[in-house]
């Protein structure tokens, strides 16, 4: 089992979405730092249109976004926009839509675990560049040289996230072993001036569970997926794919809102 710790001396590896200046959290380096309440705590999401997701979040996230699988590792993720760097759920002022689900991957920010491969452990880090991290912050990282209650809560949340991440890897492996994945496309069909359907336009290519492959499984295997909870997560993923239409509508809505501004520039 990998250890977790707070340490100023660690050889870290890997890069993580959102984090510009992650540093191993320690009283020596961050004893006077803390976090201030932010008016727009989710503004950092504005430049990201795809955010990783854990499997236990599928049902909640499916109410807002398409849940897809991306990359060689088939990482589950939510799609929050159709264009890179354009998050449809965070406006230009950094305000998050009040009905938007926030993935745990983002909720742990500005904290994150990083690998210290030399000692086979995880080190709690903080993004020193986070706008709400400041000297004398209202919620200090340390009190009397020890992790504060705020930092202890962050440790617990990051520990829980790591457990969910491992569970997600097991879920993806199960689907991979059953050969349930296929490549899908999200398409938009524009309307011609005369009202007829135009030429379909591909807006995204992604990995998803194949409904045909799922139906082809044996009753015994389907029962196994039902009993271990995987089948419910699969259905949540499949239902979420209806959300592509919502993203398309939101894209047109944002473009319409921005058009007068561009004309007045």
């Amino acid at each position: 089992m990998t250890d977790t710790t707070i340490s100023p001396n660690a050889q870290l590896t890997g890069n993580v979405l959102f984090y510009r200046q992650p540093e191993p959290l320690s009283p020596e380096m961050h004893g006077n730092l803390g976090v201030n309440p932010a008016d727009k705590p989710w503004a950092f999401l504005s430049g990201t249109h795809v955010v990783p997701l854990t499997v236990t979040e599928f049902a909640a996230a499916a109410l807002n976004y398409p849940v897809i699988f991306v990359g060689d590792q088939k990482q589950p993720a939510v799609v929050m926009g159709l264009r890179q760097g354009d998050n449809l759920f965070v406006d230009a002022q950094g305000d998050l839509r009040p009905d938007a689900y926030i993935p745990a991957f983002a909720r742990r920010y500005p904290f994150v675990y990083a690998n210290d491969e030399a000692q086979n452990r995880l080190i709690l880090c903080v993004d020193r560049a986070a706008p709400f991290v400041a000297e004398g912050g209202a919620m200090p990282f340390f009190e009397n040289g020890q992790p504060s209650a705020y930092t202890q809560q962050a440790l617990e949340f990051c520990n829980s996230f790591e457990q969910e991440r491992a569970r997600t890897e097991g879920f993806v492996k199960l689907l991979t072993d059953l050969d349930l994945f296929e490549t899908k496309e999200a398409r938009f069909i524009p309307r011609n001036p005369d009202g007829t359907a135009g030429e379909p336009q591909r807006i995204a290519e992604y990995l998803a569970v194949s409904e045909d492959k799922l139906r082809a499984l044996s009753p015994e295997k389907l029962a196994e997926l039902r009993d271990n909870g995987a089948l419910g997560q699969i259905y949540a993923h499949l239902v979420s794919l209806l959300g592509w239409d919502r993203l398309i509508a939101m894209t047109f809505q944002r473009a319409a809102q921005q058009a007068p501004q561009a004309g007045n520039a």
Side-chain angles (χ1 to χ4, degrees):
M1 180 178 178
T2 304
D3 291 331
T4 61
T5 187
I6 292 176
S7 172
N9 302 310
Q11 299 299 316
L12 307 180
T13 61
N15 297 311
V16 185
L17 180 69
F18 305 141
Y19 298 80
R20 292 179 293 159
Q21 190 182 335
E23 298 174 352
L25 187 65
S26 71
E28 292 83 1
M29 293 180 61
H30 309 102
N32 296 323
L33 295 182
V35 168
N36 286 320
D39 293 335
K40 305 178 188 299
W42 309 111
F44 68 89
L45 285 167
S46 63
T48 304
H49 74 300
V50 176
V51 178
L53 193 72
T54 63
V55 64
T56 52
E57 300 178 274
F58 278 23
L63 298 174
N64 292 128
Y65 324 106
V67 175
I68 64 172
F69 299 83
V70 297
D72 294 338
Q73 302 301 315
K74 302 179 178 68
Q75 168 68 54
V78 293
V79 184
M80 302 180 74
L82 299 183
R83 294 189 294 265
Q84 188 169 358
D86 184 17
N87 191 317
L88 293 168
F89 291 82
V90 181
D91 63 22
Q93 290 72 43
D95 291 313
L96 182 78
R97 287 176 64 102
D99 61 339
Y101 176 78
I102 305 168
F105 186 96
R107 279 184 277 128
R108 63 181 177 165
Y109 188 78
F111 296 99
V112 66
Y113 273 138
N115 288 322
D116 180 2
E117 294 181 347
Q119 300 191 44
N120 188 33
R121 61 180 179 172
L122 294 173
I123 303 295
L124 185 68
C125 296
V126 65
D127 185 2
R128 184 63 182 85
F132 36 79
V133 172
E135 292 280 346
M139 294 176 285
F141 293 146
F142 295 92
E143 295 176 336
N144 300 319
Q146 299 298 317
S148 65
Y150 173 71
T151 300
Q152 291 289 354
Q153 291 175 356
L155 271 168
E156 293 174 6
F157 188 87
C158 287
N159 282 333
S160 297
F161 180 84
E162 288 301 311
Q163 294 171 8
E164 293 302 323
R165 187 179 62 80
R167 185 175 289 113
T168 302
E169 289 178 351
F171 173 78
V172 170
K173 183 178 185 304
L174 174 61
L175 269 56
T176 301
D177 290 345
L178 292 173
D179 189 29
L180 290 181
F181 286 109
E182 68 175 357
T183 300
K184 289 188 177 183
E185 291 183 351
R187 293 191 172 196
F188 165 63
I189 302 178
R191 289 290 174 182
N192 295 319
D194 62 1
T196 60
E199 191 70 22
Q201 300 178 15
R202 188 181 75 173
I203 58 177
E205 184 176 277
Y206 59 96
L207 289 172
V209 170
S210 165
E211 294 183 65
D212 290 339
K213 291 181 177 180
L214 184 63
R215 283 193 293 265
L217 292 177
S218 68
E220 294 78 14
K221 185 55 67 175
L222 283 171
E224 180 182 332
L225 292 176
R226 179 199 64 206
D227 293 343
N228 64 21
L231 192 59
Q233 308 295 3
I234 291 172
Y235 284 140
H237 151 65
L238 291 173
V239 170
S240 80
L241 300 181
L242 298 173
W244 285 110
D245 289 340
R246 183 188 187 195
L247 291 185
I248 292 169
M250 291 174 67
T251 300
F252 278 108
Q253 182 183 36
R254 176 168 288 188
Q257 292 170 345
Q258 293 174 345
Q261 300 175 11
N264 295 330

